[in-house]
Amino acid sequence: MADEGDGMTIEVRRSASPAETERIGAAIARRLAPGTVVTLEGDLGAGKTCLVRGLARGLGADPAAVSSPTYVLEHRHPTDDGHELVHIDAYRIRSADDLASIGFEELLASGSAVVAIEWPSRIAAALPPVRIDVRIRHAGEDEREVEIEDVRPAQRAGTCASCGAALAAGSDGRFCSDRCRMGDLGRWFRGDYAIGRPVEEDDLSSDAWNPRGGGRP
Ligand code: ADP
Ligand code: MG
């Protein structure tokens, strides 16, 4: 979907220190709203976790609590708007069951967390088409090149603005489902933020996170 050309922006930043990479993360965070998926690609030691620390800072979560989710698949950090930053390390995810065990589908459908994913290529098929892709490359000892791509498929007449599926008669002309309406992240990322539906009390309850009623590892 990133090959559509229109509706996609790429920004490249240089970083000369971990602090600078964190600042880039914090700057990205200020353009995000709950529901946005941010993928982080890069070799070991590139600075993916460092950038997530910046996302945490920008979202009002505790940056010091951010570390690589090595022994668990994900870490959840409360943000100061009452939502969460969910930090997933997909390196160890080997099956759809692993993804299901962290309630990934429900997490995306709820639209109420910023979801940062290290090693996204491991779960490429499960990623929403609308998201922010960050790629970090070594460019010297402490130098890094940080590429930020706003992936947003262009909407064609009669197709869903989020997933591109054909729209049924009687749809609102933009989205094929509530899930896609909630997933219209590109709009949020561009700054013309509009909530697709009013926030409901359920959104903030733990049940909304895990409809199976708990049991995450
Ligand atoms: P990853 O999650 O990609 O494996 P980390 O963020 O855990 O990487 O670690 C990055 C390492 O690189 C840290 O030890 C950090 O101090 C170091 N580093 C050096 N320069 C930078 C930079 N410009 N940006 C981010 N990290 C840097
Ligand atoms: Mg890491």
Side-chain angles (χ1 to χ4, degrees):
M1 322 252 155
D3 55 324
E4 295 287 346
D6 42 339
M8 186 186 88
T9 62
I10 296 189
E11 187 184 329
V12 179
R13 309 268 297 261
R14 298 285 287 198
S15 164
S17 67
E20 216 174 309
T21 298
E22 255 194 71
R23 277 200 296 278
I24 293 171
I28 293 171
R30 280 189 282 276
R31 292 186 274 169
L32 303 177
T36 310
V37 168
V38 180
T39 72
L40 298 126
E41 275 184 87
D43 296 339
L44 198 65
K48 302 181 291 298
T49 298
C50 180
L51 193 135
V52 173
R53 204 163 285 130
L55 291 178
R57 186 185 304 284
L59 293 167
D62 178 9
V66 172
S67 61
S68 273
T70 306
Y71 299 107
V72 292
L73 299 177
E74 53 150 20
H75 285 155
R76 294 186 175 223
H77 306 282
T79 57
D80 66 5
D81 63 357
H83 292 100
E84 283 187 296
L85 167 64
V86 179
H87 182 194
I88 294 175
D89 188 342
Y91 191 79
R92 295 172 60 252
I93 293 180
R94 303 194 196 292
S95 67
D97 279 355
D98 280 354
L99 261 189
S101 79
I102 60 171
F104 190 68
E105 279 278 316
E106 295 85 350
L107 179 63
L108 295 186
S110 75
S112 46
V114 167
V115 183
I117 306 175
E118 296 191 36
W119 301 100
S121 57
R122 309 260 165 166
I123 57 168
L127 295 174
V130 178
R131 58 179 194 266
I132 311 305
D133 285 337
V134 177
R135 287 178 281 273
I136 310 177
R137 293 183 200 91
H138 284 85
E141 190 155 335
D142 291 338
E143 301 281 326
R144 304 288 189 270
E145 190 183 273
V146 182
E147 189 178 287
I148 305 154
E149 181 176 342
D150 173 0
V151 182
R152 190 175 54 218
Q155 184 177 15
R156 301 221 150 79
T159 63
C160 174
S162 183
C163 74
L167 292 176
S171 87
D172 65 4
R174 276 184 56 72
F175 302 105
C176 68
S177 66
D178 281 345
R179 173 175 169 169
C180 281
R181 193 184 328 281
M182 288 307 294
D184 184 26
L185 312 175
R187 212 166 30 138
W188 293 340
F189 186 68
R190 288 199 303 277
D192 42 335
Y193 177 62
I195 297 180
R197 63 161 172 71
V199 174
E200 291 155 14
E201 210 173 317
D202 265 5
D203 293 336
L204 305 175
S205 80
S206 53
D207 281 352
W209 286 105
N210 192 339
R212 288 182 308 282
R216 275 193 290 116

